[in-house]
Amino acid sequence: MRLEARGQTARGWLIAAPFAAVAVTLAICSLFVAWAGAPLMPTYAAIFDGAFGSRFAWSETLTRATPLMLTGLAVAVAFRARLYNIGAEGQLYVGALAAVALGGIAEVASLPPILVFAGMLAAAMAAGALLLLVPALLRTRLGVDEVVTTLLLNFVALLFVSMMLDGPMKDPAAMGWPQSVSLPDTLQLPKLIERTRVHAGLLIALALAVLLWGLLKYSTFGFAARAVGANPRAAAFAGVRVERTMVIVALLSGALAGLAGAIEVMGRTGYVTLDMSPGYGYSGIVIAMLAGLSPLGVVLASLFVAGILVGADSMSRAVAVPTYIADVIVAVALLSMLVATVFARYRLRWS
Amino acid sequence: MRLSGITKRFGSLLANDGISLDLAGAEVLALLGENGAGKSTLVSILFGHYVPDAGTIEAFGAPLPPGDPAAALAAGIGMVHQHFTLADNMSVLDNVMLGTEPWWRLHSQRRAARRRLMETAGRFGLAVNPDARVGALSVGERQRVEILKALFRDAKILILDEPTAVLTPQEAGGLFATLKELVRQGLSIIFISHKLPEVLRVSDRIAVLRDGKLIDVRDARHAGEAELAHLMVGREVAPPQVRPHAVGALVCELNDVAVGGADGLAGVSLALHAGEITAIAGVAGNGQQALADVLFGVVAPDRGTVRVDGRALPATPRAWIGAGVARIPEDRNAVGTIGDLPVWENAIAERHAGAFARHGFVRRRAARAYARRLVQRFDVRAGRGVDTPARALSGGNLQKLILGRALTGDGDEKIAHVPKLIVARQPTWGLDVGAVAFVHQQLLDACAHGAAVLLISEDLDEILFLADRIAVIHRGRLTEARPANAWTASAIGLAMAGSSATEHADAA
Amino acid sequence: MRDRVSAFGGAKTEGRDDCKRPAPVIDAIASILVNADFWSAVLRIATPLVFGTLGVLLCERAGVLNLGIEGIMVAGALAGWLVVYLGAGLWIGVLAAAATGAVFGLLHGFLTVPLALSQHVAGLGITLFATSVSYFAYRVSFPSVTSPPTITPFVEMRWLSLPVLAAQTPLTLAALLLVPLVGWFLYRTPAGLAVRMVGENPAAAEGQGLDVHRVRMAAIVAGSALMGVAGAFLTLSAFNAFFFNMVNGRGWICVALVVFAGWRPGKALAGALLFAFFDAMQLRMQQAGDSGLPYQVWLMVPYLLSILALIAVARRAAYPQALMKPYVKGER
């Protein structure tokens, strides 16, 4: 079996690839549904229904999609510059913690709400950015592969948050459960749609997606980031300051992931717990790949993944298929998407 | 060996078109043709790296299965590649032994292999140290290892792809002597080159290839240079016009510049003047890259000063671009352009944050207009115009893009502006005759308009044609830069090998 | 246990000279070091790391980064345990884990070798896939259990009658024996030479008649089988049941250890033992309590150490030259 390069990139295929990937995913995952002994179409229908079948379903999906959009953007921006940020999970948690920590300081809470909001979001972004800065600098200065360092730091970050929640930031009223003090209502993001959990964080995420798209396409920084991701040596030769660009990309990516954490706390939960994020940081990687690393594509991809997660939750209450089917679907979608991207540039030949 | 009707296509490019050739025993057959004629493709097919679209190969009477290097090796075909296929981190013995034992064997017979290697080396007069790490060997030594790899496996047919590209004239002479010995012991040799004189010197028969077709096969004794050149090129290519010009002010000065490392500089001094082409000749790996990198602004010298227009510049590409230095790097794919980005973004890559930026945003319209004018003036063929990804351009067109970008100055208005200093490293590597002539003409024109040109090239013919002054680099040191007509070919060859003319005279 | 308690007991323990007490922490460490149990624990903790690191080493020597290790270890853990739970012998379980690892390795190889996809992303995809499939499979098999079902794990090798080794299980012995075996394979067999060459200069390997893709695939499959066995050690020896999050980053630590080991099997063993030493130490320091630091800080130690190990060798790392560079045949 050989790969044969096509003359021109098949552009039509690039657009069709995500859809082909989703189709293949559903086909493969039907095997898993069968393994669980459940009927195929009712299961898929239940997932779809739970994700998009009603106003409530949509609201849940949108709520779930909000942090996913932000982690997806974080990963997409980083991967675009070939900085493999696998630490979005940890950055999310420290971002959440920083936001709550700042909001919990009495002097801060007495300032006008808009300042407090901005401050909390800024604190979250700073926390996430700093967490990614260390692996990024290790990479640019010492050539240490950032994949492993960001991964390992996830564990460290979570332990740190756990330590804080057990100690200084523990909520005394939470009956021994490690969680932070709840944010007062004034410091939480307003709801967009009444009687649902959809909150203003969604708007922030959408706005950032558009902003990042513009940044990458039109700005000089975006040019530098894309150049460094495509060919760092040629970019350096052309005068791009590679290290500086990587550092800024790292700060941006970490900030986005930290922001995801803050928005989750301020919009959905109200307080920080250790199970706040069921792997949003890792799902961000899948979302970024499904989106072809495009910020606008991230919006669609996060709706898809959120839908799967929400739908599977709801489905598992009706059908006897474990909720882990959602993780299987998401993982298979990633692998299918990877295979699909190959066909844009190559043809497969059997030798 | 007999080839019948070998045809190979790469996308829309027809690399080999129905080539049929015979190779007799104990002869040297040269494959002569310019860059892009299809010589390398043909021998890659012979050796099994590619599968031909049509055609068959017969070796020693038996058909050769296509696309199978193992079968080619078993049939007695060995190949010395243009870019050596050796693992730097492993020893000579490791490289030679690879693939010679059945993979399921539990214990490698290294001692026996070592004995056999030394025997083979002695038989053909090639000195080698089996335990040396390949990465530490010189280029000539590495080539010897490549040849030994084939001889170790009892090759009866040896293919050499542009073997003299990396050798001094004297080392090339040594290679030819080795080849004669191989033929004397019964091997047949296929020798690929685009250099006429050496082909005439070493081969028995010459097969001329052009645009993928076999044009003719001539007997070397009865062939003349002029007729072979005509067969090779097949059309009139106007030789570049050399315009007389005056030598101007000092533009760039290097003083005792040293750069560490294996391929470094050991104290180099050089002065470049406006309106003059200075060329650095030498065998690859003697410090050319370090010299180029210093003048590209990529590497900071450990010692010494570098001044452009009297000012010392920091070792950043930005500074050098800003100082009006046009830079043409050696590797258009890995360093010169960014394959994933479209032509227009590559065209403004060096100035994306400078002349083509405003308030942090790229001036798209101005950039695209500039790119369109560049593409037109420099005849860059790109399928979808300035939006074509650079990856899709051919080597020649990429080089034209790089050249155009380098030779047009700051901003979109001054497209006729000529840079102060042009640093060109291997600017015509891998290009066909037409593209080579184009590049040479551009350099000559720029020089006539007052640019100082530094040409660092391993192509001696190019240097002899273009240069006003020539300096030779060897192990990081430069000879003095003498006027071109003060050098003889043998003097340059000696300098490339490190001995000076006086040493040679003493020894004589 | 009594030794450790008494070290922290300090002045309250009878018959001790109060005046010249060394700092409690140093005392604690010293008493830990003289305890044979500690060294048994070191070997126990090192075993999965040895298997995993050797597995990554094989893949990377052939030029392929295999980030699927974390997921493959989970899958191996589940597969081995499940097979034994269903009635097979323990060694059959190990074989099942190896086979599972090999299958996921095949998938990873397919993505990275012929399809030449980004090795980083493909590996992460495999980890996500293997992990989610394993958790799914476990839940499908045991829909409603509150405490994880157990099996009878490997027993200690009392018949060995050597101090620390007797407390180990056969898999640990296998791991220790595997190190010189892998070294022999890499440096003294033609197949090992092929693997190394393919990771340094695939064009050179092809020029000598080897099929680069085939060699790489074989190395990845073999390496992944070892990763599966690493996972099986957790469920068949260290513990006797399958827990969620049981691998807990050990796979990533193996990836770091390979760099630290300079891609050499002997140093991989040394690295694994060194790491296990610190890990066992922090566990015991944690258990001894009273050290003033929250337990989370102790748990962070393994991960921080791995990062430090990477930094320590950063500049001098002698990467296989073709690592992470896909080789596309016929595109020169």
Side-chain angles (χ1 to χ4, degrees), chain A residues 2-190:
Chain A
R2 279 184 305 121
L3 286 180
E4 189 184 86
R6 291 186 205 248
Q8 294 273 34
T9 314
R11 303 211 104 206
W13 180 254
L14 275 176
I15 317 264
F19 298 99
V22 169
V24 168
T25 303
L26 294 177
I28 294 178
C29 291
S30 58
L31 295 172
F32 288 93
V33 173
W35 181 5
L40 181 63
M41 286 320 291
T43 306
Y44 277 160
I47 296 181
F48 186 82
D49 218 45
F52 304 114
S54 66
R55 188 168 168 275
F56 175 73
W58 263 103
S59 77
E60 283 299 290
T61 300
L62 285 173
T63 309
R64 196 79 86 99
T66 305
L68 288 175
M69 267 185 232
L70 288 165
T71 54
L73 287 173
V75 172
V77 159
F79 277 35
R80 225 30 197 308
R82 229 186 275 200
L83 177 73
Y84 291 106
N85 177 11
I86 319 294
E89 188 80 358
Q91 290 143 29
L92 186 157
Y93 270 101
V94 297
L97 201 70
V100 168
L102 191 70
I105 301 175
E107 295 78 13
V108 175
S110 59
L111 292 172
I114 193 79
L115 280 182
V116 186
F117 263 93
M120 288 167 72
L121 293 179
M125 296 200 289
L130 281 174
L131 190 60
L132 184 54
L133 188 63
V134 173
L137 285 177
L138 286 178
R139 148 107 180 254
T140 55
R141 291 287 165 84
L142 296 176
V144 177
D145 194 303
E146 73 277 16
V147 173
V148 183
T149 44
T150 50
L151 268 170
L152 292 172
L153 280 179
N154 274 340
F155 293 94
V156 174
L158 245 80
L159 284 169
F160 176 76
V161 170
S162 161
M163 191 168 83
M164 289 287 121
L165 291 183
D166 260 351
M169 291 186 64
K170 189 172 182 144
D171 184 0
M175 291 169 291
W177 212 249
Q179 64 185 54
S180 73
V181 182
S182 292
L183 289 171
D185 282 341
T186 49
L187 287 183
Q188 297 198 28
L189 289 167

Side-chain angles (χ1 to χ4, degrees), chain B residues 386-423:
Chain B
V386 295
D387 288 311
T388 322
R391 183 180 351 109
L393 267 62
S394 74
N397 285 307
L398 266 181
Q399 198 69 4
K400 287 187 221 167
L401 174 62
I402 294 173
L403 206 61
R405 174 177 81 191
L407 294 182
T408 55
D410 270 334
D412 35 339
E413 309 82 18
K414 311 195 198 87
I415 199 155
H417 169 82
V418 165
K420 214 173 300 180
L421 168 65
I422 302 174
V423 183

Side-chain angles (χ1 to χ4, degrees), chain A residues 2 5 7-9 11 82 214-215 217-221 223-224 226-231 233-241 244 345, chain B residues 296 298 317-318 321 327-330 333-338 340-341 345 348-350 352-353 357 360-362 364 383-384 391-392 405:
Chain A
R2 279 184 305 121
Q8 294 273 34
T9 314
R11 303 211 104 206
R82 229 186 275 200
L215 191 75
K217 187 162 176 184
Y218 294 108
S219 76
T220 54
F221 166 72
F223 180 95
R226 284 182 293 122
V228 166
N231 187 338
R233 219 176 129 202
F237 182 81
V240 173
R241 281 180 283 189
R244 181 170 173 269
R345 281 233 231 143
Chain B
F296 288 153
V298 169
R318 273 188 167 205
I321 295 168
R327 307 160 316 143
I328 302 168
E330 70 287 357
N333 288 303
V335 181
T337 55
I338 300 176
D340 287 339
L341 296 184
E345 286 194 317
I348 60 152
E350 292 184 342
H352 75 274
F361 286 93
V362 173
R364 281 173 82 92
R384 288 205 317 264
R391 183 180 351 109
R405 174 177 81 191

Side-chain angles (χ1 to χ4, degrees), chain B residues 125-344:
Chain B
L126 298 161
V128 78
N129 172 6
D131 296 308
R133 195 177 142 265
V134 167
L137 296 177
S138 76
V139 167
E141 288 169 325
R142 275 190 235 190
Q143 193 179 66
R144 258 180 272 153
V145 176
E146 275 275 281
I147 297 176
L148 273 170
K149 251 176 31 177
L151 298 174
F152 185 87
R153 300 181 79 138
D154 285 328
K156 297 282 179 294
I157 300 172
L158 189 62
I159 305 171
L160 294 118
D161 193 348
E162 303 270 9
T164 58
V166 294
L167 302 176
T168 65
Q170 287 82 356
E171 280 176 327
L175 174 67
F176 297 152
T178 306
L179 294 180
K180 277 214 168 24
E181 176 61 27
L182 292 175
V183 169
R184 208 184 59 81
Q185 298 207 23
L187 278 80
S188 303
I189 300 194
I190 299 182
F191 183 91
I192 297 177
S193 180
H194 66 278
K195 298 185 195 170
L196 268 173
E198 65 183 33
V199 160
L200 281 170
R201 181 176 157 190
V202 80
S203 44
D204 298 316
R205 289 190 303 145
I206 302 173
V208 182
L209 282 147
R210 187 174 83 221
D211 289 331
K213 295 197 221 328
L214 176 66
I215 304 300
D216 200 2
V217 181
R218 294 288 174 87
D219 190 317
R221 285 166 305 216
H222 303 142
E225 248 192 69
E227 79 180 289
L228 284 174
H230 184 76
L231 285 174
M232 243 175 75
V233 177
R235 63 187 180 282
E236 286 308 311
V237 176
Q241 301 287 336
V242 185
R243 286 183 239 168
H245 47 265
V247 173
L250 178 67
V251 167
C252 174
E253 191 182 16
L254 286 92
N255 228 312
D256 194 34
V257 168
V259 173
D263 189 13
L265 296 175
V268 153
S269 299
L270 188 62
L272 301 171
H273 298 265
E276 184 179 55
I277 298 184
T278 309
I280 311 287
V283 174
N286 275 288
Q288 289 94 326
Q289 196 52 49
L291 181 61
D293 282 341
V294 168
L295 290 167
F296 288 153
V298 169
V299 157
D302 298 331
R303 192 180 78 223
T305 60
V306 182
R307 289 186 200 286
V308 173
D309 267 355
R311 277 179 14 248
L313 290 178
T316 65
R318 273 188 167 205
W320 283 76
I321 295 168
V325 176
R327 307 160 316 143
I328 302 168
E330 70 287 357
D331 190 335
R332 41 186 170 264
N333 288 303
V335 181
T337 55
I338 300 176
D340 287 339
L341 296 184
V343 164
W344 73 269

